[in-house]
Amino acid sequence: MKDPMLVVKNLKVSYKLKDRVVRAVRGVSFKLVEGQSLCIVGESGCGKSTLGYAISVSLPPNAVIEEGEILVNGVNILKTDPVTVRGKLVSLIPQDVGAALSPLNTIGEVFADVLGSIGGGRDSSLKVASDILKSLGFSDPQRILKSYPHELSGGMLQRVLIALAISLNPKVIIADEPTSMVDASLRREVVDLINTIRYNYSVTTIIITHDIAIAPSLCDITAVMYAGKIVEIGPSKSLIEKPLHPYTKMLSKSIPRIMKLVELKPIPGLPPDLGSPIKGCPFAPRCPDVVGDLCYNVEPEEYRAGGRSVYCHLYGGASHDTISA
């Protein structure tokens, strides 16, 4: 098997607020080889975007990585100058395409600035940008390069951001909710674009999304996060078709499906406050399958089955083998 391109080890990230500490990521581990893709799914506030920002070295100033390692192609990026990581080793495609680009600069000026960071002149930078835009379906890339962001549609801006993300040939690309800001007619296009860059550029991708239904069309592996931890991880198809963790089961029934009429069942209750200590399984107060006091008092260990890992007392014993994503 190939050596892993991305390794995340026991990552813990907190936000320091005025009156408390919010533990947004509470010990996350996984690994991916070159060209693999991972979907990270879960409700708002589960820590998935914080995880993505940590891997892309884009956390806000009040965030602190308390523990863990992030290795990209063997390099611990947490001990590396962020300037040498952002865009070059790891690229982040932000969620809000409308706010991601300055309205004062043309698309060509943005590309020239990004590609100029590796020593390219303006003309050569624009030639590279034109070629990338053409590979992503723009029939007239020169017009796009001369345009300002407000002159482009949401779908066009999404493609421009994807083109920017791959322009410096990063090893890992992270897309934060890439389908949330586009309508249903463009969702398929975004999925196809992400798959295109993954296969054409052999890049490892992480897709952060609340929509568990799109995971099989985007990712080899799916990780389900709840309260800052992964509660289930494994091959996307089997995880979606036969979920093991009660939260995964309930999450899949609470999301609308395109072209499939299903009865939606919202998950009762609210996620725990990550600013307060959590004892036992964090999903226990909302879980219909609670195993007595065990779930409220003892944190579940890893249980491995069928190439998947699930953290739930329903499955009894534990195995501590390394998760192989």
Side-chain angles (χ1 to χ4, degrees):
M1 186 176 177
K2 296 180 181 178
D3 291 334
M5 176 59 69
L6 172 66
V7 178
V8 177
K9 295 181 180 179
N10 194 35
L11 187 66
K12 297 180 180 180
V13 184
S14 296
Y15 291 104
K16 306 293 185 179
L17 305 181
K18 284 185 178 181
D19 56 346
R20 61 180 185 151
V21 175
V22 175
R23 293 172 175 82
V25 176
R26 302 186 305 116
V28 167
S29 300
F30 64 85
K31 61 184 178 181
L32 298 170
V33 300
E34 181 182 15
Q36 271 192 318
S37 60
L38 170 72
C39 274
I40 303 175
V41 303
E43 295 171 284
S44 296
C46 71
K48 56 187 187 296
S49 289
T50 297
L51 177 59
Y53 292 137
I55 297 171
S56 61
V57 198
S58 303
L59 288 167
N62 68 325
V64 177
I65 295 180
E66 296 184 337
E67 190 175 332
E69 293 182 331
I70 302 173
L71 307 176
V72 178
N73 203 23
V75 176
N76 187 347
I77 62 174
L78 299 183
K79 297 182 178 180
T80 306
D81 184 348
V83 174
T84 66
V85 175
R86 297 189 191 113
K88 301 177 180 69
L89 283 178
V90 185
S91 277
L92 174 69
I93 303 171
Q95 178 178 354
D96 189 349
V97 297
L101 298 171
S102 169
L104 303 179
N105 298 107
T106 65
I107 302 303
E109 288 170 337
V110 176
F111 270 102
D113 184 52
V114 171
L115 291 167
S117 68
I118 56 172
R122 179 178 174 80
D123 290 343
S124 62
S125 294
L126 293 180
K127 175 63 169 64
V128 171
S130 178
D131 291 342
I132 295 174
L133 289 172
K134 193 170 183 179
S135 74
L136 294 182
F138 284 108
S139 59
D140 188 2
Q142 294 305 317
R143 180 182 71 82
I144 301 301
L145 291 172
K146 294 176 183 178
S147 299
Y148 288 90
H150 72 270
E151 296 176 306
L152 303 179
S153 68
M156 288 179 173
L157 287 175
Q158 186 71 268
R159 275 188 282 170
V160 165
L161 290 177
I162 291 173
L164 283 166
I166 63 178
S167 63
L168 297 180
N169 297 312
K171 301 296 184 182
V172 178
I173 288 180
I174 301 170
D176 188 9
E177 298 281 6
T179 61
S180 68
M181 303 297 287
V182 297
D183 58 35
S185 63
L186 292 175
R187 191 170 301 174
R188 181 73 255 175
E189 178 182 332
V190 172
V191 169
D192 289 343
L193 279 171
I194 291 173
N195 283 328
T196 295
I197 64 169
R198 177 187 164 198
Y199 293 118
N200 290 357
Y201 293 87
S202 297
V203 66
T204 301
T205 56
I206 296 177
I207 312 299
I208 298 167
T209 180
H210 67 280
D211 187 356
I212 195 172
I214 69 168
S217 61
L218 274 174
C219 300
D220 305 309
I221 308 297
T222 293
V224 181
M225 282 191 72
Y226 186 78
K229 297 180 74 73
I230 290 177
V231 297
E232 185 170 357
I233 184 170
S236 295
K237 190 172 185 295
S238 63
L239 186 144
I240 302 304
E241 290 182 352
K242 294 183 179 180
L244 297 177
H245 197 282
Y247 177 65
T248 309
K249 295 176 183 178
M250 298 177 77
L251 185 66
S252 65
K253 293 178 181 178
S254 67
I255 302 296
R257 306 293 181 92
I258 298 176
M259 304 300 292
K260 185 177 181 181
L261 186 62
V262 295
E263 180 185 358
L264 299 182
K265 297 181 179 179
I267 303 174
L270 296 172
D273 178 6
L274 297 182
S276 301
I278 296 176
K279 188 177 181 181
C281 174
F283 191 59
R286 306 172 75 187
C287 182
D289 301 314
V290 170
V291 183
D293 292 336
L294 181 66
C295 294
Y296 288 99
N297 294 300
V298 180
E299 184 174 344
E301 296 182 331
E302 178 189 5
Y303 175 81
R304 293 179 55 82
R308 264 191 279 172
S309 290
V310 60
Y311 297 79
C312 179
H313 290 303
L314 288 174
Y315 300 95
S319 168
H320 295 284
D321 297 336
T322 300
I323 297 175
S324 180

